[in-house]
Amino acid sequence: QVQLVESGGGLAQPGGSLRLSCAASGFTLDDYIIGWFRQAPGKEREGVSCIFGKDGSTYYADSVKGRFTISRDNAKNTVYLQMNGLKPEDTAVYYCAAGRFSTLRLMCRLDYGVGYWGRGTLVTVSS
């Protein structure tokens, strides 16, 4: 049974940092693209960053480039999102997703190929 479990959300001050984790089970990262998506209240879901499990190649949305870093630990079957320089507009529920038969850009920009979603973790950036 495929499962994605997010953790690490919480409250951070503007300029602060958080690290999200996505623990995967039921499949191996090598065969999938793993992505982080977010949805703020009243807004559409958007792709934040995606990583190809096999070779670690990455994609970032322009809004987080230079501030967020996605990484994976295939031995732990876990993907991380290090978020630095947090802004109030980063406040959202962050979801982890896994997909195949797609590209990093298509999956992150259009959800193309996503087969599994986690339940999300709330990130709030406020002073």
Side-chain angles (χ1 to χ4, degrees):
Q1 182 184 357
V2 172
Q3 269 196 315
L4 298 167
V5 179
E6 304 94 335
S7 61
L11 176 64
Q13 291 192 336
S17 299
L18 285 173
R19 189 175 84 151
L20 305 183
S21 298
C22 172
S25 58
F27 67 97
T28 57
L29 294 185
D30 272 355
D31 298 330
Y32 282 79
I33 296 170
I34 306 298
W36 285 99
F37 296 78
R38 68 186 180 186
Q39 187 163 22
K43 294 191 175 180
E44 290 189 358
R45 186 175 58 209
E46 63 169 339
V48 174
S49 182
C50 291
I51 187 166
F52 188 31
K54 190 164 187 176
D55 65 9
S57 53
T58 59
Y59 172 91
Y60 294 94
D62 287 344
S63 57
V64 305
K65 241 177 234 181
R67 300 189 297 123
F68 290 9
T69 303
I70 192 170
S71 62
R72 93 271 192 226
D73 184 333
N74 286 32
K76 294 182 178 179
N77 233 35
T78 299
V79 172
Y80 305 97
L81 186 69
Q82 178 67 43
M83 306 187 296
N84 298 329
L86 283 164
K87 304 175 181 180
E89 52 263 42
D90 294 320
T91 295
V93 177
Y94 283 70
Y95 299 91
C96 177
R100 303 178 73 180
F101 311 119
S102 184
T103 67
L104 291 171
R105 188 179 182 87
L106 280 175
M107 183 161 150
C108 253
R109 292 177 67 95
L110 300 173
D111 300 356
Y112 185 83
V114 172
Y116 307 101
W117 290 93
R119 300 181 77 169
T121 185
L122 177 63
V123 170
T124 303
V125 183
S126 174
S127 54

